[in-house]
Every structure is written in C-alpha cells, then in structure tokens.
Amino acid sequence: MSATAGDLPAASRPVTMYRNGSVYSAADPFATAMLVDGGTIAWVGSEEAAGAIADSSMEVVDLDGGLIAPGFVDSHIHVTETGIADETLDLAAVNSLAELLDAVAEAARVSSGMILGHGWDESQWPERRAPTADELDRASGSRIVYLSRIDVHSAVVSGTLAAALSLAEFDGWSRDGQVTRHALFMAREASRTFRPGERKHFQQRALSKAASRGYVALTEMSAPHVGSSDDLQLLMSYDGQAEQDGGALRYPKVLPYWGEAAGDVEDARRILRDVGVPVLGLGGDLNIDGSIGSRTALLREDYSDQPGERGSLYLDVDVVANHLAATAELGIQGGFHAIGDGAMDVAIEGLHKAAAQVGIDKLRGARHRLEHAEMPSSEAIKELSHFAVTASVQPVFDALWGRDDLYDGRLGAERARAMNPFASLLAAGVPLAIGTDAPVTELDPWAAVRACLQHSNPAQRISARAAFLAHTRAGWRAAGGQDPLAGQLVPGAPATFAVWEVEELMVQAPDERVQSWSTDPRAGTPLLPALDAGQQPLCRQTVRDGWELYSRS
C-alpha cells in the first residue's frame, strides 16, 4: 500500500529556517522568519529571534526580501484536460478566423494525425463567427480536426470527423460544424484516444505546472462526460509514493470530486463504489446548464444576441433535489455546475425540495457547493446563505469577459453588470472558494486575486486579502478539510506554502474612494504583493507538508 503524507519519515525532511523576508501569518503580521520541522510549521517570528534560534543543524533559506505565504488551492480544475491543452494547438491568442485557419494549416503541414486545439473565442474576432466544417477540411487537407472553444462547452469539428461519427444524428449538431450537448460529447470522446502513457504524461505535466505556479492543492472536477473513472484513478495514484522518490511528495494534493447524479441513497453508494477511488463529494461539473460563451447557460430571458434562445437545461429540479438529498443523507457534499440565472433558479428550487426530504439541518451539514454561480440574483444569494452552500467561483472570467463584448453582447449591459457578485456573496455570508476552471483560464493564482480587486463592476470588488483567503484557506474548507490550520502559516499547521519573489508588499483595498495602497504595517494586516500593472509575483519554491514540489533554479 502506498504511504500517505502522514506516514512519510520526518527525518527525511530537514529542519529549515526561512528568514530575511516577509511571512503571511495570522499569528504574527510582522513576522519575517519561519521555522519548518519536517512537515509542520514550528515557529514564526522576527529576524532577531530567528538569529537566536538558528543553529548549525538547520538548513537556512535566505528569503532575500521575498514573501512566504500559504499555498494556493485551485477550487475547480480539470487536470488531464489542462495537460492536453498545453500540448495541443493553442488558439487563445488567435485574433481572427483567418488566423485560426492559418494555424490549422500550419499544424497540418508540420504534423500527422488528428489536429487538436483549444481556446478560440470568436466574440473578439472581426468575423464574429467560428470556422465551418468545410473551412477546417480545406485548411487541414481533410484531416480530422477537433477545436474546443475557450469555455469547452462547444467545439468546431472538421467534416471528416463529423462524417466518421455521424454527428448529424445527435442533439447539438449544427450544419456549420459547431457542436454542443450530445454531439460535443461524442466528438470530444473521439478526440481523446491516446497512446499508452500519454494520459499519464498530460496529467503529470499539468500537476508540475500547477506546482510551479504556487498551487499546493487542486480540486479535480471529474465526471463521466469529462473523463472516465480510470482517468481519475490514475490521477490519484501519484500522491507521493514512487519508490524512486523515496516516498516523497512530488505534486500538489488532488481533492477529487465526481460529477454523477444519484437518484437516491443506494444509487449514491453505487456511484461512490464504482468510481474506484475515495472522492470528497458527488458534484463539480454535474451540469445543470452550460456556458455563456456557447449560449448554453440557462437564462430566464433570451440571449440578447440570439432572440428565442435561452440556453440548455441538462438536469431538472427533481434530479437536482434527489441528488442533494441523497448526498446529504450520506453526509457527503453534493453540488452542481450552474452559470445562468435560470440554472440558479433550478438549483435553489432543488435545495428547497431536498430540505423537505431530509430536513434543513442535514442539508446544511452536507456543505453542498455550486460551481461558477455567475448569475445569482439577490434573492438567490440569500437562499445560498440560508442553505449553507459554498460558491466556487472563477474571477478571471470577469477579467476576460466582463470588460469586453462577450458578456455585454450575449446578455446586455444590465445583466452583464450583475454577474459574478463576489462582494454581495461575501456580505451575505456565502463562503467563496476560487478556482481557474483550467484549461478555461490559465493557472495563475495572482491573476484571480487581481481580478477580484479590479472587478468590472466596482460595487462587486473585494479586497486582495479577502480574495487571497478565498484562494487558499477557503479552498481547503470548501473541500471539507478537517484540519482547521490548513491554509495558514501558524505553529502546528502543515508546512504547506509557496515562496514568492515580489517587488513590493502592500495592503490593498477594493474601494477607489479610500486609500487602496498602503505599506503601513501598523494596522496589523499581513501584507500581500502589489498587484498593479506590471508587477507579477514570481514563484521561487512550492512546498507541501514539508516536501519541495518545485524550486526555481
């Protein structure tokens, strides 16, 4: 049996003194040094005290003015898909339909086999449309092509792939080659036929990349329509046990969820058994609806740019209610993907029906969660608080699309302005946990913190500190973490953190009417990196339970 982190010998992890920097610690907001003993933080304090404590038996790390802070938790990610996206055609920087077709043609020229790509977003192109199947056939020389949109809720495929799979027979097929719903599932599955060892390579690439960005835990949102249970089992097999590594941890901790709906308690037990690995809950990308960009998010009113279209409903109220009740009966988390306001209505009604089945206390005790939650009304926010539901959000969505034509174009200015109401959620007592939804957005934790501080709607901005907590400590709590010290740098807490090279440390508030930038430590608030334009913290080292996951040489 593989060793767990708690079983690994402390002797193989040296006592290390980090000094001459800044330590983000609630125990001492003025701390400049930290002592790590094995997998545990033993002490935080001043440089003067560090000099008195340090001895020749310790490894001493000079922070050189750097910041040591709790490691980030990505509260919504797809690890395998992130690795795949990193090694296929990157279309995120493509600025026109013509550029995309040129990229496909070049890929066909330099490689053989299927052409895979990810990240196109036609909403910013002058043509304002995706490529057709015929255009992909011509550009690729009739190769099989699968290109997922940035939100991964739609894709475009070549005519050759459409014909091979008879996609015209499935719901979600469009004659121009764009696929959603079941046609998307069929095309995506066909594009995920990998040679032996490739899936492992993609997963480990994504895990290593996350570690290099300061992530210490990744909340994996697996589901049958995203990847098989074999995929999740492989992902969970890496947690620090390879004999050639001496049992050392190598990657961020994976916090696994499985998105399959349970009709009742026995069905939930069957699903948990069939997954093949212990999961933290049945939820995540258990989709009530789709995405704004692909016009599959379920809306109360029509899309502004497509009259008569209100998106897709994948799960009805009874399915939602029965699933939430079944998971609550078992004392585990349930949850759903809900982006549109119509999908949020379904989720709220499902919560009420589930409470009627099992009682409000049991429902609250399960600590259910909703992923994305981009369009909750003020009434829905009150309901989420009432039912003790956590909102797992992606602030970079607003940074990417809240200031351009996508949200405004799809929804109109009034609805777009009300999206991603982080300040309102926190004010109502709804816990926030922050993720990337990678590969939808990049693995960049400070970009998420910055997006909260600079929300497109000033009324919904939150402080850098609130965003940082939502992306660290709250991530552990959202996943049902039992260690109350997880996500903190205090004596007795796990030695799980990242070291950052920073230009300046400040207290940053979200309100432009008051002083937003301060270096005065007298307020007793730990300082964070300045996140104004041009200043990007650089990860030097990532540590999990005393084991180094990443070091920048």
Side-chain angles (χ1 to χ4, degrees), residues 43-299:
W43 170 86
V44 295
S46 68
E47 184 64 23
E48 293 77 10
I53 295 172
D55 61 41
S56 60
S57 68
M58 297 177 184
E59 180 179 320
V60 177
V61 175
D62 185 352
L63 295 172
D64 190 25
L67 171 70
I68 186 167
F72 286 98
V73 178
D74 191 324
S75 288
H76 188 119
I77 187 175
H78 306 282
V79 172
T80 305
E81 290 298 308
T82 299
I84 294 171
D86 275 356
E87 297 211 355
T88 53
L89 198 58
D90 181 3
L91 302 174
V94 165
N95 294 313
S96 69
L97 172 61
E99 283 188 25
L100 181 142
L101 294 173
D102 286 345
V104 170
E106 177 63 14
R109 186 185 69 81
V110 301
S111 63
S112 60
M114 183 185 299
I115 298 173
L116 301 181
H118 168 74
W120 58 271
D121 180 1
E122 85 294 351
S123 69
Q124 302 302 303
W125 297 348
E127 301 90 348
R128 298 284 177 169
R129 70 171 179 87
T132 66
D134 288 343
E135 288 170 332
L136 291 178
D137 283 339
R138 288 194 295 272
S140 68
S142 296
R143 297 262 288 278
I144 289 178
V145 181
Y146 177 90
L147 309 177
S148 58
R149 194 180 185 281
I150 183 64
D151 57 20
V152 303
H153 284 270
S154 63
V156 288
V157 301
S158 59
T160 49
L161 180 59
L165 300 177
S166 300
L167 291 180
E169 300 176 7
F170 296 100
D171 174 52
W173 164 255
S174 175
R175 287 181 299 174
D176 62 6
Q178 193 159 352
V179 289
T180 59
R181 299 189 292 275
H182 193 57
L184 173 66
F185 171 77
M186 297 296 294
R188 184 187 169 281
E189 286 295 293
S191 74
R192 292 323 191 238
T193 54
F194 301 121
R195 296 188 297 273
E198 281 189 303
R199 190 175 300 274
K200 180 177 182 179
H201 170 74
F202 291 138
Q203 290 180 344
Q204 293 186 340
R205 177 187 174 99
L207 292 168
S208 295
K209 180 179 180 180
S212 74
R213 305 293 174 87
Y215 290 97
V216 293
L218 307 173
T219 308
E220 166 64 20
M221 295 299 178
S222 291
H225 65 279
V226 177
S228 68
S229 58
D230 289 343
D231 184 275
L232 182 59
Q233 291 167 22
L234 179 62
L235 180 61
M236 298 304 296
S237 70
Y238 309 134
D239 203 11
Q241 319 77 359
E243 290 183 5
Q244 62 267 31
D245 299 324
L249 298 174
R250 295 180 58 200
Y251 302 117
K253 184 174 181 62
V254 175
L255 307 171
Y257 286 77
W258 182 253
E260 186 173 350
D264 54 31
V265 170
E266 288 308 310
D267 195 28
R269 289 195 177 106
R270 175 195 60 78
I271 294 169
L272 291 169
R273 182 176 62 252
D274 290 350
V275 174
V277 290
V279 294
L280 298 174
L282 297 179
D285 269 356
L286 183 48
N287 293 41
I288 295 176
D289 69 343
S291 72
I292 300 292
S294 294
R295 298 189 189 86
T296 51
L298 184 66
L299 303 183

Side-chain angles (χ1 to χ4, degrees), residues 348-503:
I348 297 299
E349 187 176 350
L351 284 162
H352 278 280
K353 285 194 170 186
Q357 292 183 42
V358 301
I360 185 66
D361 290 340
K362 189 169 288 186
L363 196 69
R364 288 171 173 165
R367 300 175 63 193
H368 294 317
R369 52 190 286 164
L370 289 179
E371 308 301 317
H372 311 307
E374 287 203 85
M375 297 181 68
S377 64
S378 57
E379 295 79 11
I381 290 172
K382 292 177 184 176
E383 297 281 18
L384 295 178
S385 178
H386 174 70
F387 287 112
V389 174
T390 293
S392 169
V393 300
Q394 290 71 47
V396 176
F397 286 7
D398 178 77
L400 289 175
W401 302 306
R403 299 174 183 272
D404 61 24
D405 293 337
L406 178 62
Y407 285 166
D408 278 359
R410 295 286 194 269
L411 304 173
E414 183 177 353
R415 282 190 292 181
R417 183 176 175 82
M419 290 184 67
N420 298 296
F422 305 142
S424 295
L425 286 161
L426 283 178
V430 178
L432 289 187
I434 288 177
T436 60
D437 198 15
V440 176
T441 71
E442 186 56 72
L443 284 166
D444 184 347
W446 294 111
V449 175
R450 182 185 297 109
C452 290
L453 191 68
Q454 301 174 354
H455 197 291
S456 61
N457 180 354
Q460 295 303 333
R461 293 173 181 169
I462 61 176
S463 70
R465 178 176 180 270
F468 181 77
L469 292 176
H471 212 353
T472 54
R473 187 178 180 185
W476 293 108
R477 291 184 172 183
Q482 300 300 309
D483 188 343
L485 299 182
Q488 301 183 73
L489 301 184
V490 297
T496 299
F497 54 88
V499 179
W500 300 92
E501 183 177 312
V502 296
E503 293 185 25

